[in-house]
């Protein structure tokens, strides 16, 4: 579903591809980008439920006068990633902004993880982010507003039990961000990362349904004694995609309620 993009926003005329955008943080970022004038490719995991959620978000954006397109893709499959970027380009135009938000997650003791579990997390979270950026590279190189925004986790800074494979993949994204920023800077492509703290999303609710217990644990670690929600972090993604951060690359911005201090 596509309609005319509204004008007067900080991302007017730009095309953004946001992965993991059917719900949670990705959906909040997609909605914010559309509100600021971007045409948004809402990339989502294949399957009936994510597809329905993504189409609902697209319908909301279009009804508000924006332009959006839902595209399902398995980021662990290189061919599917290429098809995702090609579909976004065909439907919306050359890509200016890539947000690598999608992530696979699972929990378990480090010594009980299987090779298959380890590899799946890294194929989606780390390799998938590289594949999306690589597929979009011809567009990014030609754009005057090119940027890639990777999503990492506070768990890289704090460590957390039963998440070694996930944490390692998110640490890899920081290295990927810094190395790619150095190399892609010659093409005018900015590459930054957002290190997120504990954000109360649908995914967290599914994993930890006891909201009171999670609140107590999280706020004890944070400087701000409230929970963070997807809407609390979307503004950082807007800043990094806009000209307000035009001289910023290779950086990792913490949005964690003051959990980790640097």
């Amino acid at each position: 579903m596509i309609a005319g993009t509204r004008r007067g926003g900080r991302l007017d005329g730009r095309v953004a591809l946001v992965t993991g955008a059917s719900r949670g943080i990705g959906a909040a970022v997609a909605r914010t980008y559309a509100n600021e004038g971007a045409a948004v490719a809402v990339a989502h995991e294949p399957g009936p439920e994510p597809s329905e959620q993504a189409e609902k978000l697209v319908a909301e954006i279009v009804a508000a006068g924006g332009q959006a397109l839902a595209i399902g893709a398995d980021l662990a499959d290189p061919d599917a990633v290429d098809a995702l970027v090609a579909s976004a380009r065909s439907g919306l135009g050359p890509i200016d902004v890539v947000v690598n938000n999608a992530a696979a997650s699972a929990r378990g003791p480090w010594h009980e993880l299987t090779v298959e579990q380890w590899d799946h997390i890294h194929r989606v979270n780390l390799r998938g982010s590289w594949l999306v950026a690589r597929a979009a590279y011809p567009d990014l190189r030609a754009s005057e507003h090119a940027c890639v925004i990777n999503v990492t986790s506070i768990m890289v800074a704090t460590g957390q039990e039963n998440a070694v494979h996930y944490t390692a993949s998110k640490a890899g994204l920081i290295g990927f961000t810094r190395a790619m920023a150095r190399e892609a800077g010659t093409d005018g492509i900015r590459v930054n990362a957002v290190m997120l703290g504990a954000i109360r999303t649908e995914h967290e609710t599914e994993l930890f349904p006891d909201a009171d217990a999670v609140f107590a644990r999280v706020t004890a670690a944070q400087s701000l004694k409230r929970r963070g929600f997807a809407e609390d972090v979307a503004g950082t993604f807007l800043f990094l995609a806009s000209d307000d951060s035009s001289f910023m690359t290779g950086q990792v911005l913490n949005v964690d309620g003051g959990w980790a201090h640097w």
Side-chain angles (χ1 to χ4, degrees):
M1 186 183 299
I2 301 172
T5 304
R6 69 193 69 178
R7 295 295 172 184
R10 292 158 70 183
L11 302 181
D12 277 356
R14 303 181 199 185
V15 175
L17 169 60
V18 183
T19 67
S22 62
R23 63 178 189 169
I25 293 163
V29 171
R31 190 177 289 112
T32 297
Y33 282 4
N35 286 340
E36 291 292 336
V40 184
V42 178
H44 60 87
E45 183 182 5
E49 186 174 0
S51 297
E52 182 179 351
Q53 292 168 334
E55 291 292 353
K56 183 178 179 180
L57 174 59
V58 167
E60 173 192 329
I61 290 172
V62 169
Q67 185 176 2
L69 178 66
I71 311 170
D74 178 2
L75 300 188
D77 179 353
D79 292 336
V81 172
D82 288 342
L84 163 66
V85 173
S87 295
R89 180 185 299 119
S90 174
L92 300 174
I95 297 165
D96 302 284
V97 180
V98 169
V99 178
N100 284 314
N101 169 69
S105 65
R107 306 186 73 83
W110 71 270
H111 52 88
E112 295 180 4
L113 297 174
T114 66
V115 170
E116 290 75 20
Q117 288 172 322
W118 178 279
D119 287 348
H120 175 68
I121 293 293
H122 283 258
R123 279 196 301 267
V124 174
N125 298 1
L126 184 53
R127 192 183 73 171
S129 296
W130 164 65
L131 287 171
V132 173
R134 186 183 70 167
Y137 174 59
D139 292 351
L140 295 173
R141 182 174 54 184
S143 172
E144 295 182 356
H145 306 285
C147 69
V148 175
I149 304 169
N150 299 314
V151 179
T152 183
S153 169
I154 193 63
M155 292 164 68
V156 175
T158 64
Q160 190 172 117
E161 65 276 4
N162 296 322
V164 165
H165 49 342
Y166 176 82
T167 303
S169 73
K170 289 298 188 176
L173 280 169
I174 294 177
F176 170 58
T177 296
R178 291 171 175 162
M180 186 180 169
R182 184 74 65 185
E183 192 167 352
T186 58
D187 292 314
I189 301 170
R190 298 184 299 110
V191 187
N192 293 292
V194 180
M195 179 179 279
L196 294 176
I199 306 301
R200 190 67 173 172
T201 63
E202 298 95 330
H203 180 64
E204 187 196 77
T205 301
E206 291 165 0
L207 289 176
F208 308 106
D210 188 341
D212 292 338
V214 177
F215 178 91
R217 180 180 178 185
V218 169
T219 56
Q222 292 178 178
S223 298
L224 299 179
K225 304 306 178 183
R226 69 174 181 86
R227 291 306 316 275
F229 295 89
E231 293 72 22
D232 291 312
V233 306
T236 300
F237 288 86
L238 174 59
F239 167 70
L240 290 175
S242 75
D243 292 342
D244 291 344
S245 60
S246 63
F247 201 55
M248 180 185 226
T249 194
Q251 305 304 308
V252 180
L253 297 187
N254 279 31
V255 187
D256 62 1
W259 191 317
H261 293 184
W262 301 94

